Amino acid sequence: MTKLSAIAVALSIFISHLFRSATSQGITYTFPDCTVAPLKSNAVCDTTKDPVTRAQAIISEFTVSELISNTVNLSPGVARLGLPAYQWWSEALHGVASSPGVTFAPVGSNFSFATSFPQPILMGAAFDDELIKDVATVISTEARAFNNFGRAGIDFFTPNINPFKDPRWGRGQETPGEDPFHISQYVFNLIQGLQGGIDPKPYIKVVADCKHFAGYDLENWEGNSRMSFNAVITPQDLSEYYLPSFQSCVRDARVASVMCSYNSVNGIPSCANSYLLQSLLRDYWGFNDEGRWVTSDCDAVDNIFSTHHYTADYPHAVADALKAGTDVDCGTAYSLHLPDAFNQSLITKDDLEKALVRQYSSLVRLGYFDSPKVQPFRQLDWSDVNTPAAQALALKAAAEGIVLLKNDGTLPFKKSIKKLAFIGPWANATTQMQGNYEGIAPFLVSPMQGAINTGFSVTFAFGTSISGTDTSGFAEALAAAKAADAIVFAALDLISQLSSLGKPLVVMQFGGGQVDGTEIKNNTKVNSILWAGYPGQSGGTALGDIISGKTAPAGRLATTQYPASYINQVNMTDMNLRPSSTNPGRTYKWFTGTPVFEFGHGLHFTTFAISWQHQPSTVYQIPPGLTNQIGKSNIDLNAFETFNVVVKNTGKVASDYVALLFLSGNGGPAPLPNKQLVSYTRLQGIEAGRQSVATLQVTLGSIARADANGNLWLYPGKYELTVDTGTEVYLTHSFELEGSPTQISKFPQDSS
């Protein structure tokens, strides 16, 4: 952007707040001006009308060609009607991110960076729902500030809420973990922070987008590409594992957008799948309301014909997608082939208008047509980006999610340890700390720099490459280690040589988290292991604070760390969760092997004693009459019981504590999973010698189980609750659930 245009934008916002313009990777963002013709007399500008009515007023004036041209993510608008071009595709997974809809300014300028929080895989390990809401609130505030100066759209293709069930899926780092209940709570809070609440009035803050719907967790494995993969999933697994996070996002948090995925589900491409997009999404979860739309993943509509070969040609492919309920094509298939589909009478003008009304009523809810004088979000500017509070929150998010996997008392380092040797490619990592879908961070603190800032004297040696193929730095690494008081490293190839030096040895693990750490877990000369995921802009500071003892870790693994043999025991294309002759079972709920570190594992710098505040009942009754409420209320959200656990810090270090409540049992026609998470909470800063109470609320849905058709049932039987302290100390309670088996939901069946 030239200086002249930049000044023009600034002046227009400052003086009138009615117009803005800036270039964002090929698009000039300009908001409609309802104070001038032709929009001035159009009902789309009437703020007394509902969003759908307002959207219909403008869409009814579109020609067929104008309708078609605006069904893609890079929408040209309709100049003759005063509608500017708009890019629907912006990203903000863990901060405003580089993407087609987002443009960062040159270094040193306003909007040259945005707060970079940890990846969701690390924030999920914090098990702190309020933290997630706070992080999302900062992200949406910064997104709106970027938008106010033409540097981003107002809707963002985030979050990724596919359960992370297979360690080979590199994009698992984008998710909160493997457990469907945990992801459901995470996304429920995240969407509120992004959108400004549950169906906020009068304006939604930004539009979030829950992706990838559905059964998506494979990129390319042994010739199986996500572009053509057919995920064969039983109704039971859909209901119990693959869809709860989407139900929470859509039905409960009221997200405004959903992305259909590349893959097919049971033979039908997701973006042409009326069972997914109509029967489940719109009819079952109520996605039919104003301002809610479905976008394809980028080029997924094209793939319906080109890779899935689901239709005979492109016109039928785009027609199937549009009529199934895909409103926005992130790609070009709609603009290229909908004209032919229309001419062949495969679609109607009504079909096109339906999709455009959904899109534009969403923009109405965002205040797209309204004066900034009535919108609180249009006042946000550069001063609202990466504020001191946002920086503190990024540090808190990193510190809360880091997990202490192993410790013999070496951490935190004693005051006598002053010289550290940081060894390995991650030791001085900066941009790698962000993971993918990242933006430009205001700063990036490496693990080594974090230790220096804490007061340690640090020597760095590269040691080896991330892949471990370059061993030329071994000698330098050993020399650095010999001269240090303690060793901090993340290069497994060096472990045997470094551990033989007899010095305190701490391993920091980075990345998605599902790696085989058996060797370092069992090596008694490896004193401590910290898992740090992708900790974002302040990750090094958080790690420095932990090893020095300024911060006590309390994160819990949100994934199972499998032994390496796991990947040889099950095909990545096998979507089944339960163990069989060809499947050892997936996730902590069903895995029949022995994990290296199990889901929920996490140690502390202190010790805890836990007890029931009030002894729970030994008998509970299944409430009568629940089946009669199916279709009238969301029975799964009904309260079952609240369990209060007294947590006493019996050590000498103040620490947070994450209470995870698991359920196991034998009720129903088949055994329950090994165990399943039914509630959790994070207690903040319990001082040594003091205690706090963890309130664990359990719903009927979290103790229910899906039958073969996906219907949820409450089954009588014997059950056990378990809470742990992070060590081999458990609090348990057995109870019996009495009554008749009771159905509490009716899962839609796929009749295609």
Side-chain angles (χ1 to χ4, degrees):
M1 178 174 28
T2 65
K3 290 184 178 179
L4 182 61
S5 63
I7 292 172
V9 173
L11 286 175
S12 65
I13 293 175
F14 180 73
I15 295 172
S16 69
H17 292 274
L18 293 175
F19 172 88
R20 80 174 178 280
S21 174
T23 299
S24 182
Q25 297 187 20
I27 183 170
T28 300
Y29 283 106
T30 307
F31 272 30
D33 189 347
C34 277
T35 67
V36 298
L39 289 178
K40 188 174 182 179
S41 61
N42 192 289
V44 73
C45 298
D46 186 350
T47 58
T48 67
K49 304 291 186 182
D50 66 87
V52 171
T53 300
R54 294 176 67 182
Q56 288 171 335
I58 192 69
I59 296 304
S60 64
E61 299 185 35
F62 282 33
T63 65
V64 170
S65 62
E66 288 168 344
L67 288 168
I68 289 174
S69 66
N70 283 282
T71 56
V72 293
N73 65 287
L74 185 54
S75 299
V78 182
R80 68 179 182 84
L81 298 177
L83 296 179
Y86 184 74
Q87 171 60 269
W88 292 87
W89 179 8
S90 294
E91 297 282 359
L93 178 65
H94 51 111
V96 177
S98 301
S99 50
V102 175
T103 296
F104 287 90
V107 175
S109 307
N110 291 354
F111 300 102
S112 59
F113 56 77
T115 307
S116 183
F117 291 96
Q119 275 281 42
I121 193 63
L122 185 129
M123 290 195 290
F127 287 93
D128 185 345
D129 291 339
E130 285 302 314
L131 170 76
I132 302 310
K133 188 184 295 184
D134 291 344
V135 166
T137 299
V138 170
I139 292 173
S140 58
T141 294
E142 296 191 3
R144 270 288 186 164
F146 268 70
N147 176 256
N148 287 339
F149 289 82
R151 294 198 167 274
I154 348 176
D155 56 271
F156 293 82
F157 289 2
T158 188
N160 181 343
I161 56 171
N162 299 113
F164 187 11
K165 79 175 192 306
D166 194 294
R168 289 161 287 191
W169 187 37
R171 292 186 65 180
Q173 62 177 282
E174 303 169 25
T175 78
E178 70 181 34
D179 181 75
F181 173 78
H182 175 218
I183 305 172
S184 296
Q185 304 309 303
Y186 179 104
V187 71
F188 179 73
N189 287 275
L190 185 88
I191 297 305
Q192 291 181 68
L194 290 174
Q195 297 193 164
I198 299 175
D199 272 345
K201 300 290 189 296
Y203 297 108
I204 196 169
K205 196 174 181 184
V206 302
V207 164
D209 178 82
C210 284
K211 62 185 186 184
H212 311 77
F213 190 58
Y216 175 83
D217 57 9
L218 179 151
E219 303 304 303
N220 196 331
W221 179 80
E222 294 192 357
N224 296 279
S225 168
R226 61 181 178 164
M227 304 299 182
S228 57
F229 174 58
N230 177 32
V232 178
I233 310 174
T234 67
Q236 183 178 46
D237 285 348
L238 276 174
S239 172
E240 201 165 50
Y241 188 75
Y242 292 99
L243 297 186
S245 55
F246 286 96
Q247 175 175 278
S248 176
C249 181
V250 173
R251 188 196 69 181
D252 303 333
R254 310 290 291 163
V255 76
S257 177
V258 168
M259 177 185 287
C260 52
S261 55
Y262 289 116
N263 56 285
S264 290
V265 174
N266 296 328
I268 304 176
S270 297
C271 293
N273 196 319
S274 59
Y275 171 66
L276 291 177
L277 302 183
Q278 188 63 49
S279 300
L280 279 169
L281 185 63
R282 293 190 164 96
D283 298 341
Y284 190 48
W285 293 332
F287 198 66
N288 277 318
D289 300 326
E290 61 191 36
R292 292 181 165 86
W293 45 275
V294 172
T295 178
S296 73
D297 206 339
C298 298
D299 288 329
V301 171
D302 185 286
N303 296 147
I304 293 170
F305 169 66
S306 64
T307 60
H308 287 285
H309 308 299
Y310 180 70
T311 58
D313 52 34
Y314 274 116
H316 283 83
V318 295
D320 281 2
L322 185 70
K323 295 176 78 69
T326 301
D327 305 304
V328 179
D329 169 25
C330 184
T332 58
Y334 272 4
S335 57
L336 292 174
H337 303 294
L338 280 176
D340 286 340
F342 183 82
N343 291 334
Q344 295 176 36
S345 299
L346 301 176
I347 60 168
T348 66
K349 186 178 181 181
D350 285 345
D351 295 326
L352 293 165
E353 287 183 339
K354 181 185 294 185
L356 267 295
V357 167
R358 287 168 177 162
Q359 295 175 45
Y360 272 83
S361 58
S362 156
L363 291 175
V364 170
R365 295 182 71 204
L366 286 159
Y368 188 67
F369 295 92
D370 300 347
S371 166
K373 294 179 181 178
V374 300
Q375 294 185 58
F377 309 127
R378 292 281 288 275
Q379 314 308 318
L380 297 171
D381 59 24
W382 175 239
S383 66
D384 297 295
V385 177
N386 199 238
T387 63
Q391 292 181 18
L393 187 62
L395 174 58
K396 178 183 179 182
E400 284 199 4
I402 292 171
V403 181
L404 182 63
L405 297 178
K406 175 183 177 180
N407 193 32
D408 62 2
T410 294
L411 289 181
F413 285 130
K414 297 177 176 59
K415 292 183 178 180
S416 59
I417 293 179
K418 302 182 184 302
K419 297 170 62 178
L420 300 179
F422 266 76
I423 298 170
W426 279 90
N428 199 29
T430 51
T431 55
Q432 301 101 307
M433 306 281 279
Q434 294 178 277
N436 64 3
Y437 282 91
E438 78 285 6
I440 299 175
F443 55 82
L444 288 162
V445 182
S446 70
M448 183 179 74
Q449 187 61 51
I452 293 171
N453 294 346
T454 307
F456 291 103
S457 172
V458 173
T459 301
F460 168 66
F462 188 76
T464 184
S465 62
I466 291 177
S467 65
T469 57
D470 181 4
T471 61
S472 60
F474 276 27
E476 178 191 7
L478 289 169
K482 289 176 182 177
D485 298 328
I487 306 162
V488 181
F489 85 112
L492 294 180
D493 302 73
L494 277 165
I495 186 168
S496 60
Q497 297 179 60
L498 291 173
S499 62
S500 67
L501 298 178
K503 297 191 177 186
L505 179 57
V506 174
V507 173
M508 291 181 179
Q509 290 184 344
F510 295 90
Q514 297 201 44
V515 297
D516 187 345
T518 302
E519 180 182 350
I520 54 177
K521 177 184 179 181
N522 295 338
N523 188 331
T524 57
K525 294 181 180 180
V526 174
N527 304 99
S528 306
I529 306 173
L530 284 168
W531 177 81
Y534 295 93
Q537 68 183 43
S538 295
T541 301
L543 286 163
D545 288 346
I546 287 173
I547 65 175
S548 67
K550 181 179 178 181
T551 298
R556 301 289 195 108
L557 284 181
T559 57
T560 300
Q561 288 196 3
Y562 297 97
S565 59
Y566 178 80
I567 64 172
N568 298 319
Q569 296 171 345
V570 57
N571 290 338
M572 201 172 178
T573 53
D574 186 346
M575 305 298 287
N576 293 306
L577 303 171
R578 289 157 178 78
S580 68
S581 59
T582 59
N583 189 332
R586 292 188 177 277
T587 79
Y588 78 97
K589 296 177 71 170
W590 298 106
F591 182 49
T592 53
T594 302
V596 179
F597 290 109
E598 65 178 348
F599 173 92
H601 177 75
L603 306 178
H604 306 89
F605 285 168
T606 189
T607 56
F608 292 101
I610 53 179
S611 60
W612 301 111
Q613 185 179 43
H614 304 289
Q615 188 64 30
S617 174
T618 57
V619 177
Y620 291 94
Q621 300 293 327
I622 296 176
L626 292 177
T627 303
N628 296 331
Q629 299 176 31
I630 294 176
K632 302 175 184 177
S633 64
N634 300 321
I635 306 171
D636 58 293
L637 298 180
N638 290 0
F640 170 66
E641 178 65 285
T642 297
F643 299 93
N644 295 316
V645 176
V646 178
V647 181
K648 183 175 182 178
N649 186 338
T650 56
K652 299 179 180 180
V653 178
S655 177
D656 289 3
Y657 170 81
V658 172
L660 303 177
L661 182 65
F662 293 96
L663 178 73
S664 58
N666 63 0
L672 279 164
N674 303 326
K675 59 180 180 179
Q676 61 186 36
L677 185 66
V678 294
S679 188
Y680 63 86
T681 191
R682 186 180 183 111
L683 300 176
Q684 303 279 342
I686 307 174
E687 297 291 333
R690 304 297 293 271
Q691 64 185 38
S692 187
V693 176
T695 300
L696 298 162
Q697 298 174 331
V698 179
T699 64
L700 293 181
S702 60
I703 66 169
R705 295 161 59 203
D707 65 17
N709 293 319
N711 305 310
L712 291 183
W713 290 74
L714 296 173
Y715 291 115
K718 295 182 179 180
Y719 296 87
E720 183 174 74
L721 296 168
T722 304
V723 185
D724 70 77
T725 62
T727 60
E728 297 298 316
V729 177
Y730 300 95
L731 175 67
T732 63
H733 175 71
S734 297
F735 68 90
E736 189 161 356
L737 189 59
E738 294 183 341
S740 301
T742 300
Q743 185 176 345
I744 64 170
S745 76
K746 188 174 182 180
F747 191 70
Q749 300 301 296
D750 186 357
S751 58
S752 59

